[in-house]
Amino acid sequence: MSYAYLFKYIIIGDTGVGKSCLLLQFTDKRFQPVHDLTIGVEFGARMITIDGKQIKLQIWDTAGQESFRSITRSYYRGAAGALLVYDITRRDTFNHLTSWLEDARQHSNSNMVIMLIGNKSDLEARREVKKEEGEAFAREHGLVFMETSAKTAANVEEAFIDTAKEIYRKIQEGVFDINNEANGIKLGPQHSPNSPTSPSSGNPLGGGRAGNCC
Amino acid sequence: MDKAAELKNLSDQLVKNIQTEQSKQYLEWLQKWDCFLVNHMSNQTLSSNSELKTLVRQGIPHTYRSRVWKSLVQIIVANAQSEFGKNYYSCLLGRNSERLKNPASDPCLRQIDLDLLRTLPTNIHFINADSEKMNQLKRVLYSFRFHNKTVGYCQGMNRIVAVALLYLKEDDAFWFLVAVVEYLQPPEYYTPTLKGAVIDQKVLTDIVQEKVPKVWNHLKQLGVDLSIFTLPWFLTIFVDSVNQNLYLHIFDVFLLEGNKVIFRFAIALLKIIEPKLLECHTIGAIQSCLSNLSDLKLEAKELAKVAFGIHSFSIKTIESRRQMYANSQH
């Protein structure tokens, strides 16, 4: 399928916060209460439309255990967006956000859009982290914030799509250099009929050649 | 339609299994095992020799897997067992019962709890949190955490124990894990930095360059880092990366020959999917090809044949490269 842009996303956060479930809900529109443990990384992709343009999201879902941190760091490279996820029913997953954020900032490009996500909003009775705390953390660190439920699908579309909108806005503003792949953005194949406005000539990635996006 | 196709597949598979079980080669293979076990297995102890190696490379029959796995593990951990004593596992359980009352206080135990239901979520024994094997899995991992405090618990170990529990009793499964983590895999595979496992991915990439050069070149051109996909192969010995028939066969050989065979099977898999990989022209296509190996229609014996047909595969080369990468990390 053709697209105007391809954005690379990475999903990070403590183990068991629901990263893989968010991905599955977004790509397959279903919830699997018991998901395989992610060791290393798993992938998902979906096409979305922003401003009339087809955008392909290529999503890297990472392992959350501390041991895998040194490995996942290398995946940040070339990511345009990151979903930083915690579990509203587990305070410790919220407490670890600072160290995740440090990692993300240190190993990614400075323009990477980071969306903070408080997942499992359906488990209100077991809530340990107030919504206001998430909002405050996001405000303090300049992140976009949302509470989601991978189970009920609440806000899941919004989380992925709003992140893309933010990246798209940065492209329009010229903040992102789309010819620099390290930014995690790739232009779609040049001859795409669905993306008449996609920039083409002189683009080293055009012509349908498969470039590396990571 | 999907359901019909699924049932058709299933029935094809069953018919194939029955045909296999009635085939001459299958019966000969079983007879060889019968003979071997009669002649070489006394008092549950197996004598290791070249005949065993040849047999195990062809896979252990389902009916004998419990016996043979138990014996292979015992050969490996014999010294440790005599050092710690035969009742070591029950001692660990007893000693830990106090600490286990409050698992939330220990990050490793908390992690284990989080991972139990995510171990083999499609296996009947590990679907229910209260099932017998699930409780065994939990106790083995908890005990290991206090047995080897340097390792504690690393994700992936849960799958190894679950596979062991399909064939072994609880205490044997504990020793199975000890054998894998402390003897069969190189040092620091499951420690908090995964240093040993990370180094092995670099070694593997070198071997891929040598043995499957087209794939290596192709991945390089697309900018794909192979280790993203292969790390779980090494950490879990392919559990859940390939289908169960394949990984059980890989475990058979791994228990006898150790870590080196993971390299062989990794190269064999890449050789087998080479045509598919070369047809992939985007990183996304490569990702889906390498992440969906469990759909691969392949007999375990075919895979083993490719794996052990690879020539000049010396442990010395692997060791020296490991050393090289270990030194370059400092």
Side-chain angles (χ1 to χ4, degrees), chain A residues 15 34 36-37 41 65 210 212, chain B residues 117 121 155 222 228 240 281:
Chain A
T15 166
V34 182
D36 276 38
L37 180 66
V41 66
Q65 197 189 7
N212 52 353
Chain B
L117 280 167
Q155 291 185 327
L222 291 175
I228 290 174
D240 254 23
H281 293 293

Side-chain angles (χ1 to χ4, degrees), chain A residues 15-16 34-39 41 43 58 60 63-68 70-71 75 90 92 210-214, chain B residues 111 114-115 117-118 121 153-156 158-159 192 194 198 222-223 228-229 231-232 235-236 240 281 283 287 291:
Chain A
T15 166
V34 182
H35 194 278
D36 276 38
L37 180 66
T38 308
I39 293 176
V41 66
F43 304 93
Q58 184 194 71
W60 295 43
Q65 197 189 7
E66 183 70 28
S67 320
F68 293 87
S70 62
I71 299 158
Y75 307 155
R90 278 165 55 213
D92 55 326
N212 52 353
C213 53
C214 57
Chain B
Q111 187 66 57
L114 272 174
D115 291 350
L117 280 167
R118 304 193 286 170
Y153 168 71
C154 170
Q155 291 185 327
N158 54 336
R159 291 203 177 132
L194 310 177
V198 171
L222 291 175
I228 290 174
F229 304 96
L231 182 75
L235 281 178
T236 67
D240 254 23
H281 293 293
I283 188 168
Q287 280 166 357
S291 314

Side-chain angles (χ1 to χ4, degrees), chain A residues 23 28 78 104 132 180 182:
Chain A
L23 175 61
D28 289 28
E132 294 75 34
N180 181 355

Side-chain angles (χ1 to χ4, degrees), chain A residues 10 27 49 53 55 70 97 111 137 147 184 186 194 198 200 206:
Chain A
I10 176 161
T27 56
T49 310
K53 292 195 179 60
I55 293 173
S70 62
L97 287 177
N111 286 318
F137 186 93
E147 280 196 347
K186 209 184 90 170
N194 294 340
S198 78
S200 52

Side-chain angles (χ1 to χ4, degrees), chain A residues 85-98:
Chain A
V85 188
Y86 68 93
D87 173 352
I88 65 150
T89 71
R90 278 165 55 213
R91 165 71 56 183
D92 55 326
T93 67
F94 181 76
N95 294 342
H96 295 153
L97 287 177
T98 323

Side-chain angles (χ1 to χ4, degrees), chain A residues 6 17 27 36 64 73-74 88 92 97 118 129 153 171 183 198 204:
Chain A
L6 184 149
V17 297
T27 56
D36 276 38
R73 277 182 195 121
S74 66
I88 65 150
D92 55 326
L97 287 177
V129 184
I171 295 175
N183 281 332
S198 78

Side-chain angles (χ1 to χ4, degrees), chain A residues 3 56 58 186 208-212, chain B residues 214-224 226 229 269-270 272-293 296:
Chain A
Y3 48 83
K56 185 172 179 175
Q58 184 194 71
K186 209 184 90 170
R209 188 183 74 89
N212 52 353
Chain B
K214 278 189 200 158
V215 167
W216 187 86
N217 271 317
H218 188 63
L219 296 181
K220 192 169 188 241
Q221 271 174 6
L222 291 175
V224 177
L226 189 63
F229 304 96
L269 277 171
L270 292 171
I272 289 165
I273 58 167
E274 177 168 356
K276 267 199 217 163
L277 283 174
L278 296 179
E279 277 174 20
C280 296
H281 293 293
T282 61
I283 188 168
I286 296 271
Q287 280 166 357
S288 95
C289 185
L290 283 167
S291 314
N292 295 310
L293 291 177
L296 208 61

